[in-house]
Amino acid sequence: MPFLPSTLLVALKSSSSVSSCRVIHARVIKSLDYGYGFIGDQLVSCYFKMGSTQDAEKLFDEMPNKDFVSWNSLLSGFSKRGHLGKCMSVFSTMKSKFVYELNDVTLISVISACASAKTRDEGRYLHCCVVKLGMMLEVKVVNALINMYGKFGFVDSAFRLFWAMPEQNIVSWNSMVAVCTQNGIPNEAISYFNMMRVNGFFPDEATMVSLLQACENLHLVRLVEAIHSVIFTCGLNNNMTVVTTLLNLYSKFGRLNASHKVFAKICKPDKVAWTAMIAGYAMHGHGKEAIEFFERTIREGMKPDHVTFTHLLNACSHSGLVEEGRYYFRIMYNVYGVQPGLDHYSCMVDLLGRCGLLNDARELIKHMPLEPNSGVWGALLGACRVYGNIKLGKEAAENLIALDPSDPRNYIMLCNIYSASGLWSDASKVRALMKAKNLDRNPGCSFIEHGNKIHRFVVDDHSHPDSDKIHKKLEELIRKIQEVGFVSETESILHDVDEEVKTNMIKKHSEKIAIAYALLVTSADMPIVITKNLRICRDCHNTAKFVSLVEKRVIIIRDSKRFHHFSDGLCSCRDYW
């Protein structure tokens, strides 16, 4: 029975594989002209959508009567597949063939490809083409240029384009919020959002996602709470992308209860939302809750993917749930068909190492079907530091240094292992190697929010206006915790100096100063939330435990590895991180 032309068009729009495209393609060859209903152009687009660039190119070459729309379809396809070279070649041909027909679709396609590839010279060339073609009044084209310059990091160029526009639309404002966020100027992102609202534009999904991403760098929970209110006011509280970004952000700020409340109000959470909650529980060391959420996900009929299992295994690792971790690692492929990747092996090495099963962890690495990466070796090195296994630690560090000779953290970890074992000569050699390679560790900083402002502290910081009060409070704290048994741990001091000197050095770490400040300015019923840019040292970790006991306060510290929840003298990480 012959296919009707309209039937072929409908079938093409619902096509979901290359083979189905080829079947329709064969029918077109037998019974239709490629020009009918632009079916040839639609076939080209369909092949690109299915990832078959070769079929799309071959069909395009075979089409007898290619018009401007056909060339635009080819250009758009190459752009979406990230083939910048072919995009530029097609654009060059189109300039010679259709110089007076080039439109916003043409230019947006090639500008987008250029933005994705971050090719600056081609980007400037395209900007010149837009000017020469007299298309600087086309809002969509200028928006594409703003986005492109933002991807390049040329923020001033993006600003100039934006303010030169005779009229901006919602996409223009969203682009500026996104450009500011991408380039690490979150305060500017907030300013553009406020100006956008003053100018009568209503925020949409893209606005709120970019804005929430900007908030991640500001560490201001009150600002997130204010944006949460805006989300509700704008009716975006049912938008899955927005609420998932919001609950994820609350979790990163240590407000896991707020994350759970946002999740609980989602009518039909999708797999991304469920996974975000599992990730949140994992980050905060709540392994049992993460497993419970995973099992609920399965009962809801959702199929877990590699991301879900990464967070689940991470949760098992952070909570020391060895048997549970082994079980889920085993069934992820046998039951759910998810092939273990490097992230999953890294989680398992970390899990085994946490419980002192260093030989098991090393055997797992040896029998991996994949080449171990820095995550895998880093997990082993961390375990060796905790359990003082110098031989394995050295092997892990050497592999890490071979993978990334410019990362100072690997040298510092090895130096820590040597120092803790009293091998000062070996530690000195590692420090000398770091010096020869000109590698410096980033200075440690701790951040705390108070009074709608972020207060930043570094080691032995005396720059704060209340510095005298803060250091007096810190001295008082140290005395109080020493009275109940606190003893300084100086293994993170990598120099062979007297113990008294080490103790004085370590007493001035930024976390301790931040805790002292928090006790001065926050009410007793509020948790103290501190963000640290580096991994917390063991002495600061023990200090936080003792302070939570003697001051009867909940202290939450997010370091570069995870969250630590201190309460009644205990930490959620169970002293392994």
Side-chain angles (χ1 to χ4, degrees), residues 523-575:
S523 58
D525 59 334
M526 293 294 293
I528 295 169
V529 182
I530 296 167
T531 301
K532 173 79 186 286
N533 66 328
L534 302 177
R535 182 181 168 279
I536 188 172
C537 77
R538 190 160 293 280
D539 188 71
C540 288
H541 191 268
N542 283 343
T543 299
K545 286 199 299 182
F546 273 88
V547 172
S548 75
L549 178 67
V550 299
E551 296 291 330
K552 295 180 171 46
R553 296 292 296 271
V554 173
I555 302 171
I556 301 171
I557 298 179
R558 179 190 176 187
D559 70 3
S560 61
K561 296 284 286 183
R562 55 166 299 152
F563 274 95
H564 299 264
H565 291 249
F566 301 93
S567 180
D568 297 324
L570 299 172
C571 179
S572 59
C573 77
R574 299 184 183 133
D575 298 340

Side-chain angles (χ1 to χ4, degrees), residues 283-463:
M283 197 186 306
H284 288 267
H286 298 301
K288 295 287 187 184
E289 290 86 345
I291 289 173
E292 180 188 330
F293 254 76
F294 175 80
E295 295 298 341
R296 282 178 61 190
T297 304
I298 301 303
R299 289 195 296 272
E300 291 289 328
M302 297 189 192
K303 187 177 179 183
D305 58 16
H306 70 285
V307 178
T308 314
F309 276 106
T310 297
H311 293 305
L312 180 64
L313 293 174
N314 196 30
C316 292
S317 171
H318 281 179
S319 299
L321 304 174
V322 178
E323 293 309 313
E324 292 88 340
R326 281 176 160 161
Y327 167 73
Y328 286 115
F329 185 72
R330 186 169 61 250
I331 69 166
M332 65 183 287
Y333 179 73
N334 294 340
V335 176
Y336 298 103
V338 177
Q339 190 72 44
L342 287 168
D343 287 343
H344 306 114
Y345 279 102
S346 176
C347 290
M348 288 306 296
V349 171
D350 192 63
L351 175 59
L352 294 169
R354 168 185 287 274
C355 298
L357 302 172
L358 298 181
N359 291 329
D360 288 4
R362 183 64 188 93
E363 283 299 304
L364 181 64
I365 295 173
K366 185 192 286 188
H367 294 100
M368 279 174 58
L370 305 165
E371 195 67 32
N373 65 356
S374 57
V376 174
W377 287 116
L380 182 63
L381 181 59
C384 292
R385 178 195 63 80
V386 172
Y387 288 100
N389 191 318
I390 298 171
K391 183 181 177 182
L392 262 186
K394 187 178 178 183
E395 180 191 355
E398 286 171 350
N399 278 285
L400 278 166
I401 290 167
L403 285 167
D404 189 358
S406 62
D407 189 343
R409 292 174 299 178
N410 303 326
Y411 301 85
I412 289 166
M413 188 80 85
L414 180 60
C415 209
N416 267 324
I417 292 173
Y418 285 144
S419 299
S421 303
L423 301 173
W424 298 110
S425 175
D426 291 315
S428 180
K429 287 175 185 175
V430 176
R431 287 199 304 275
L433 184 59
M434 285 181 69
K435 190 173 181 180
K437 290 178 176 287
N438 221 11
L439 299 176
D440 289 318
R441 184 181 186 179
N442 290 330
C445 301
S446 294
F447 306 87
I448 183 167
E449 178 185 353
H450 176 67
N452 294 327
K453 181 182 175 184
I454 293 296
H455 299 262
R456 175 181 179 272
F457 299 98
V458 295
V459 64
D460 197 19
D461 198 323
H462 289 268
S463 62

Side-chain angles (χ1 to χ4, degrees), residues 90-151:
V90 171
F91 179 66
S92 180
T93 303
M94 291 178 73
K95 272 183 67 184
S96 61
K97 282 178 176 286
F98 309 103
V99 65
Y100 298 112
E101 295 180 57
L102 296 179
N103 60 12
D104 56 350
V105 175
T106 313
L107 287 157
I108 289 169
S109 291
V110 71
I111 290 170
S112 297
C114 194
S116 297
K118 297 185 179 179
T119 48
R120 298 176 178 183
D121 290 341
E122 287 84 348
R124 292 190 184 98
Y125 162 73
L126 291 171
H127 189 171
C128 290
C129 289
V130 172
V131 174
K132 287 179 181 178
L133 292 166
M135 300 188 72
M136 287 300 290
L137 295 179
E138 291 286 343
V139 176
K140 290 181 181 178
V141 175
V142 179
N143 287 343
L145 286 172
I146 289 170
N147 177 60
M148 180 189 76
Y149 279 122
K151 293 275 179 67

Side-chain angles (χ1 to χ4, degrees), residues 449-516:
E449 178 185 353
H450 176 67
N452 294 327
K453 181 182 175 184
I454 293 296
H455 299 262
R456 175 181 179 272
F457 299 98
V458 295
V459 64
D460 197 19
D461 198 323
H462 289 268
S463 62
H464 197 278
D466 296 322
S467 179
D468 290 343
K469 292 179 183 177
I470 295 168
H471 282 274
K472 185 178 178 182
K473 182 67 176 177
L474 181 56
E475 290 294 331
E476 176 192 318
L477 270 179
I478 298 296
R479 282 197 302 272
K480 284 175 76 173
I481 63 177
Q482 285 174 341
E483 288 171 3
V484 294
F486 171 79
V487 178
S488 293
E489 292 199 28
T490 55
E491 66 169 52
S492 61
I493 301 297
L494 307 181
H495 302 281
D496 188 11
V497 294
D498 291 342
E499 198 65 25
E500 185 179 346
V501 176
K502 288 184 182 180
T503 301
N504 286 332
M505 290 169 70
I506 210 163
K507 275 166 53 177
K508 301 170 184 176
H509 279 190
S510 63
E511 300 97 311
K512 296 184 178 75
I513 298 172
I515 290 171

